[in-house]
Amino acid sequence: MAVISYRQALHDTLRAEMTRDEKVLLLGEEIGKFEGSYKITAGLLDEFGPKRVRDTPIAENGFAGVGIGAAMLGLRPVVEFMTLNFSVLAFDQIVNHASKIYTMFGGQTAIPIVFRTPGGGGQQLGATHSQNIEVWYAHLPGLKVVAPSNPADAKALLTTSIRDNDPVLFLENLGLYNTKGEVPDDGPEVPIGRAAVAREGTDLTVIAYSRGVNVAVGVADELAKDGVSVEVIDLRSLRPLDRETFCKSVRKTTRAVVMEDDWLSYGVGAEIAASVQEGAFDYLDAPVRRVAAAEISLPYAKPLESAALPGADALRKVIREQLDATGMRSKS
Amino acid sequence: MALIRAFELRAQEMYQRAKIGGYCHLNLGEEATVVGLMSALRAKDYLFANYRVHGYAITRGLDPGEVMAELFGRTDGVSGGWGGSMHLFDEGVRLMGGYGIVGGQLPPATGAALAIDYEQKADDKSDAVMCLLGDGTTAIGAFHESLNIAGLWNLPIVYVIINNGLGMGTTVDASSAEPDLYKRGAAYRIPSTRVDGNDPDTVRKAAEKALKSAREDRRPYLLETTSERLKGHSVVDPAKYRTDEENKELKENDPVPLYRSTLIKSRAMTKKQAQEIDDEAERIVDDAVAFADKSPSPKPEQLFDNDYSTAVAGAPKQMPGDPLITF
């Protein structure tokens, strides 16, 4: 089992799927000669040629829709948006077309397309380049939205996504590209719509996805030294959402905190908190708490940006408050 | 042309009788364009349309009964009652959909052309894509993004601007800085031309030339046809923005009687034959309505039949009011 980076896992998976299936092609800005802004597609143009690794004009709505049409005729395009922020330019094609065509035409034509894109803040890129707007897409029936938190899941979920016959928004995170982890050569398949228990615990459940899972596991490991046992649920998919897994966990631990990188109001955490309320209300010892980004367009200045983004300090504080409020005093 | 005329007049009537809901955009006045374009397409070609699609669907070979059933929202409709008037689809005749969002069809149509290009063997040049759009669509980004990509990658696609002079109620002059819409092709080095959309023979000839460019020269093509809607933008639009004089002109230029008299004058057809064609069209439309009427409405329990192509664990299938989580 090799230890590789999240970036490498994505690259290797694209390469493996292109080798396996001639119908897989890549579309996106600067993915060929430039090898991708984040180098996920490095070397693929040389290996597979310009027919299968297509540099597109800067026209997100155009090339996203080109992918949709190609998928309707049986190709399996993987479209890269340089960042999630630019996917907004392709909102019409994703929202009104990719996510609707299968249902709207009575199930007559599938759209096997993957839209890959990194999101996330923390790189001092300013307001328009630092968003976590995944919830806009997770709201849409017809689309599948996945957000792997580690290299093994990145490989497994990208494989599943490329082989899936529905449109998948595949969320990466700038803060994860260099993280490393064990990636099995022939790992188990990870189905879309199934969460994982990233870390087992008995006192409190943190429900997180993508970068937030790593923060949560770090905090959980720390708190273990104080005798607090935190369970971390990695959602892996935002649509469909595996409510059963996290509700089951909360029924066991009786306390729930959501860790999310997006804005609080109407965010992923709102959906999870409502689901926990419905699926585990009788088991809860305290209201569900949410740790999310401050509700402000993200600033460039480092101290401001750091203050706005949810991190380990905020999560630790909220976990302690939850425990204190419910009679399980944690050391500080 | 007679069949489209009869079908659309009946669709209008059925809408007024509340058999058809939602929006309903008719091809009345555009019959010559529809027939000219569709007669130039081959069976292997793909068609992407906008929301004004009834006539194209019928001429492309869809059963008028199944089209009417779709307008009625019935299970035997071409999209199973899921799409309605704007979203007719049938892969069998390679009608890859009517699209309700202005310009939404352009990027996918361009992608279909990419797929043809991707799969094509050197000795097989028979597939092409035709993408229909209205005059108002030439202002949106997807038009320019698509033409640029098609021009850049030499894709086998013909974009057809069905210029009926009005984007809803706004004239071309009031919405386009370049009212000669076909000239926009020059910006992408895409050959283009404008033809009289009231003459089916002219349209057909132009469409054949455009498709030849796409297939054989591997150059996309931009074709503009000029015609006029006889009615408003949709059935509910009384078209009050038109003057009495304009309405009079519309009647004089109506392509259906014009082409009929051309054929009779040139002795290609007798008056009696013309009447027989009209009678036959009425019969077909009568049957279509009867078929649609008899077709059952989809049942509520079918609501999630087409939620995903690849089934997923945990996809919510709750009806409104159902509990979300059950252990």
Side-chain angles (χ1 to χ4, degrees):
Chain A
M1 197 183 293
V3 174
I4 60 171
S5 68
Y6 190 97
R7 180 197 316 276
Q8 189 70 40
L10 293 169
H11 169 272
D12 292 354
T13 306
L14 287 178
R15 186 168 175 270
E17 289 303 298
M18 291 183 79
T19 305
R20 186 188 62 84
D21 185 353
E22 274 188 6
K23 300 212 181 263
V24 177
L25 74 157
L26 311 184
L27 292 164
E29 293 157 1
E30 307 292 352
I31 62 169
K33 276 189 195 161
F34 195 86
E35 302 195 309
S37 282
Y38 298 100
K39 307 298 170 201
I40 309 296
T41 54
L44 297 181
L45 174 63
D46 285 346
E47 187 170 353
F48 296 101
K51 181 180 152 189
R52 299 186 65 196
V53 181
R54 288 209 182 222
D55 279 321
T56 64
I58 302 173
E60 279 81 4
N61 200 47
F63 69 72
V66 163
I68 292 168
M72 288 172 87
L73 263 63
L75 299 186
R76 309 189 78 85
V78 180
V79 171
E80 176 175 311
F81 294 121
M82 203 178 280
T83 90
L84 180 59
N85 308 278
F86 303 167
S87 75
V88 176
L89 278 302
F91 212 52
D92 173 54
Q93 284 300 322
I94 302 171
V95 174
N96 283 322
H97 301 95
S99 75
K100 307 259 188 298
I101 282 173
Y102 180 71
T103 303
M104 188 169 73
F105 295 146
Q108 295 183 77
T109 183
I111 311 288
I113 191 170
V114 179
F115 300 107
R116 285 184 41 241
T117 184
Q123 319 288 320
Q124 281 197 277
L125 299 173
T128 59
H129 284 60
S130 308
Q131 303 183 84
N132 292 280
I133 49 176
E134 51 270 21
V135 72
W136 298 0
Y137 296 106
H139 189 56
L140 285 171
L143 195 66
K144 295 170 179 174
V145 180
V146 301
S149 69
N150 60 72
D153 278 1
K155 175 186 172 183
L157 275 170
L158 184 55
T159 306
T160 311
S161 300
I162 291 173
R163 297 180 190 181
D164 197 280
N165 284 331
D166 294 306
V168 180
L169 181 71
F170 190 92
L171 286 165
E172 299 161 16
N173 188 294
L174 296 176
L176 289 178
Y177 280 147
N178 289 333
T179 58
K180 290 191 170 177
E182 287 186 342
V183 176
D185 292 336
D186 293 304
E189 279 184 28
V190 174
I192 293 173
R194 278 277 173 253
V197 180
R199 186 190 188 286
E200 290 197 6
T202 53
D203 298 330
L204 180 143
T205 301
V206 176
I207 302 151
Y209 62 97
S210 191
R211 187 195 74 94
V213 175
N214 295 4
V215 175
V217 169
V219 169
D221 287 346
E222 265 177 53
L223 290 172
K225 292 172 199 155
D226 295 344
V228 175
S229 172
V230 173
E231 180 148 301
V232 179
I233 301 296
D234 182 349
L235 293 174
R236 299 202 290 203
S237 298
L238 299 180
R239 175 173 282 272
L241 184 61
D242 184 357
R243 295 180 170 90
E244 202 178 310
T245 295
F246 64 75
C247 284
K248 206 178 275 178
S249 171
V250 176
R251 285 174 171 217
K252 180 179 76 176
T253 65
T254 74
R255 300 171 183 91
V257 173
V258 186
M259 174 74 190
E260 57 187 323
D261 274 5
D262 62 338
W263 292 300
L264 188 84
S265 299
Y266 309 100
V268 173
E271 178 59 35
I272 292 166
S275 300
V276 169
Q277 186 278 136
E278 190 169 337
F281 179 79
D282 290 343
Y283 299 79
L284 280 176
D285 282 338
V288 181
R289 291 283 305 272
R290 290 178 280 163
V291 181
E295 301 213 66
I296 189 81
S297 296
L298 215 64
Y300 162 76
K302 193 70 190 167
L304 290 177
E305 185 190 42
S306 299
L309 287 171
D313 291 346
L315 180 61
R316 203 183 300 111
K317 172 177 159 286
V318 170
I319 291 174
R320 288 213 160 106
E321 285 170 6
Q322 268 283 48
L323 295 169
D324 290 348
T326 53
M328 186 183 163
R329 204 148 289 277
S330 64
K331 292 178 210 163
S332 49
Chain B
M1 285 173 71
L3 179 59
I4 300 169
R5 175 61 51 102
F7 187 94
E8 294 293 61
L9 286 172
R10 194 69 66 89
Q12 178 176 258
E13 185 196 329
M14 291 297 122
Y15 191 92
Q16 282 153 355
R17 289 172 52 188
K19 293 264 187 186
I20 299 171
Y23 296 135
C24 191
H25 310 86
L26 306 175
N27 287 120
L28 294 171
E30 299 176 357
E31 291 88 347
T33 301
V34 177
V35 169
L37 291 174
M38 295 301 96
S39 65
L41 281 182
R42 298 177 189 170
K44 287 181 77 179
D45 294 330
Y46 291 89
L47 178 68
F48 285 72
N50 62 4
Y51 46 80
R52 197 179 297 282
V53 64
H54 305 169
Y56 295 93
I58 294 167
T59 315
R60 190 76 181 127
L62 287 187
D63 179 70
E66 290 175 19
V67 175
M68 191 62 85
E70 186 60 35
L71 307 191
F72 280 29
R74 303 296 172 88
T75 49
D76 294 307
V78 295
S79 302
W82 278 88
S85 164
M86 298 190 287
H87 306 120
L88 307 178
F89 182 98
D90 188 324
E91 200 153 23
V93 300
R94 299 200 163 179
L95 168 59
M96 302 308 284
Y99 291 79
I101 302 289
V102 169
Q105 73 277 21
L106 276 97
T110 308
L114 170 67
I116 290 168
D117 188 58
Y118 188 93
E119 307 265 31
Q120 206 137 55
K121 295 173 191 92
D123 60 345
D124 178 6
K125 289 181 177 172
S126 60
D127 288 354
V129 176
M130 180 177 279
C131 178
L132 311 174
L133 55 136
D135 44 82
T137 308
T138 60
I140 78 162
F143 173 81
H144 300 278
E145 294 185 17
S146 297
L147 265 68
N148 183 52
I149 288 173
L152 195 63
W153 292 350
N154 298 316
L155 300 179
I157 182 165
V158 175
Y159 301 97
V160 186
I161 304 169
I162 318 288
N163 183 353
N164 61 23
L166 288 165
M168 287 192 76
T170 305
T171 59
V172 173
D173 286 357
S175 65
S176 183
E178 171 51 272
D180 291 336
L181 300 175
Y182 71 99
K183 288 184 180 169
R184 290 185 183 279
Y188 309 103
R189 298 195 178 177
I190 291 178
S192 64
T193 193
R194 169 190 275 170
V195 295
D196 176 7
N198 277 340
D199 178 13
D201 297 323
T202 304
V203 174
R204 178 181 177 144
K205 218 173 282 172
E208 280 170 347
K209 185 182 163 201
L211 287 160
K212 183 170 177 285
S213 162
R215 282 195 192 98
E216 295 176 25
D217 307 339
R218 308 308 281 173
R219 288 302 292 163
Y221 198 96
L222 179 63
L223 175 62
E224 179 185 357
T225 62
T226 54
S227 56
E228 284 179 86
R229 293 184 330 229
L230 284 186
K231 304 275 180 171
H233 169 67
S234 68
V235 176
V236 294
D237 169 18
K240 284 183 179 161
Y241 38 81
R242 274 186 181 135
T243 62
D244 290 347
E245 197 179 322
E246 282 170 335
N247 281 324
K248 194 172 153 246
E249 267 176 43
L250 272 184
K251 269 204 167 156
E252 285 165 6
N253 294 326
D254 185 338
V256 175
L258 273 184
Y259 194 59
R260 185 184 288 129
S261 55
T262 303
L263 290 178
I264 292 170
K265 266 183 211 156
S266 68
R267 297 183 188 279
M269 186 171 74
T270 63
K271 272 187 182 169
K272 189 170 166 254
Q273 282 171 323
Q275 189 57 49
E276 281 166 7
I277 289 170
D278 285 349
D279 292 347
E280 175 68 6
E282 286 300 327
R283 264 197 303 278
I284 293 171
V285 174
D286 285 345
D287 289 349
V289 169
F291 176 81
D293 253 335
K294 254 191 283 171
S295 174
S297 292
K299 294 191 170 61
E301 50 270 31
Q302 291 172 272
L303 192 57
F304 293 101
D305 281 2
N306 305 314
D307 63 345
Y308 287 112
S309 175
T310 303
V312 273
K317 293 181 194 286
Q318 281 80 6
M319 294 291 184
D322 281 354
L324 194 57
I325 300 152
T326 46
F327 277 98

